[in-house]
Amino acid sequence: MKWVYIAAGIMIFAKMLVIPHPAPDLSQTSFVELVVKDSGVPNAVSGIIFRNRLYDTIFEVVVFTIAILGAKYLLADEKPTHVIHQFTDKPSIVLARLGATISALVGIELAIRGHLSPGGGFAAGVAGGTAIGLVAITSSTEWMQGIYQRWQAARWEKVSVLIFLVLAVITLAGYELPHGQLGELLSGGVLPLLNILVAIKVALGSWAAILIFIRYRGLL
């Protein structure tokens, strides 16, 4: 029986090599143009993620949330690290915090303008999480934990997820905000809001993960 599968695989491979694939008709409207027209944003990637494949994006956000909860659950029974080694020399601290400032500004830019240019909510969240990580390697863990609790970052993370899910369900039901003028900041309907919510979720979730692993695994 295995020879049948081998022969079928060889035949398919030969077909791919010998039979040419028909070239697309360039006279018709391209797929990217159709996505831009339907979503109302120049960034076709954001249009696909937050409109054409929004159902997949919902579960990506849920999976990220479950990953953070899983890290808390699996490390809850372990003893915290007593000695946490961090960068203490001035050049490393200055460079790390300079990089954190730049990364945070890039994250804000990607979140606000991600629907107009390359970038988006996930990229903005990663940039924000990178900024938090750079500050964490040069700051006291108690200070970072205190800020996290004072600003109730965990609550804001959950709120951002809930708002994202509500807006996503409304969008999937066929109700959309007006797209506005293509290329302007206030355009794209609900897509910019989804971008910002995902950025908040990923950045705050990364913050929680960083604090957890520093507390139970150390930094260096």
Side-chain angles (χ1 to χ4, degrees), residues 166-179:
V166 171
L167 292 178
V169 170
I170 293 174
T171 304
L172 289 174
Y175 301 99
E176 297 188 34
L177 296 176
H179 288 173

Side-chain angles (χ1 to χ4, degrees), residues 40-41 53 145:
V41 296
R53 300 193 64 180
Q145 186 72 36

Side-chain angles (χ1 to χ4, degrees), residues 78-142:
E78 297 195 13
K79 296 181 179 179
T81 302
H82 297 289
V83 180
I84 299 176
H85 301 283
Q86 295 176 308
F87 292 113
T88 56
D89 57 298
K90 293 297 182 180
S92 297
I93 294 176
V94 171
L95 290 175
R97 295 190 176 180
L98 175 61
T101 303
I102 296 173
S103 183
L105 293 175
V106 171
I108 295 173
E109 169 74 10
L110 292 175
I112 296 176
R113 296 176 55 85
H115 61 294
L116 303 178
S117 61
F122 289 101
V126 170
T130 301
I132 294 171
L134 289 172
V135 174
I137 65 177
T138 59
S139 304
S140 169
T141 306
E142 292 76 13

Side-chain angles (χ1 to χ4, degrees), residues 54-78:
L54 180 56
Y55 190 76
D56 295 344
T57 306
I58 291 175
F59 284 95
E60 290 176 5
V61 173
V62 172
V63 166
F64 185 83
T65 304
I66 293 174
I68 302 300
L69 295 175
K72 293 180 180 179
Y73 175 77
L74 292 175
L75 296 176
D77 296 333
E78 297 195 13

Side-chain angles (χ1 to χ4, degrees), residues 64 121-122 124-126 128-129 157 160 197-207:
F64 185 83
F122 289 101
V126 170
E157 179 191 357
S160 65
L197 290 172
V198 169
I200 295 173
K201 162 61 188 170
V202 174
L204 296 182
S206 301
W207 191 354

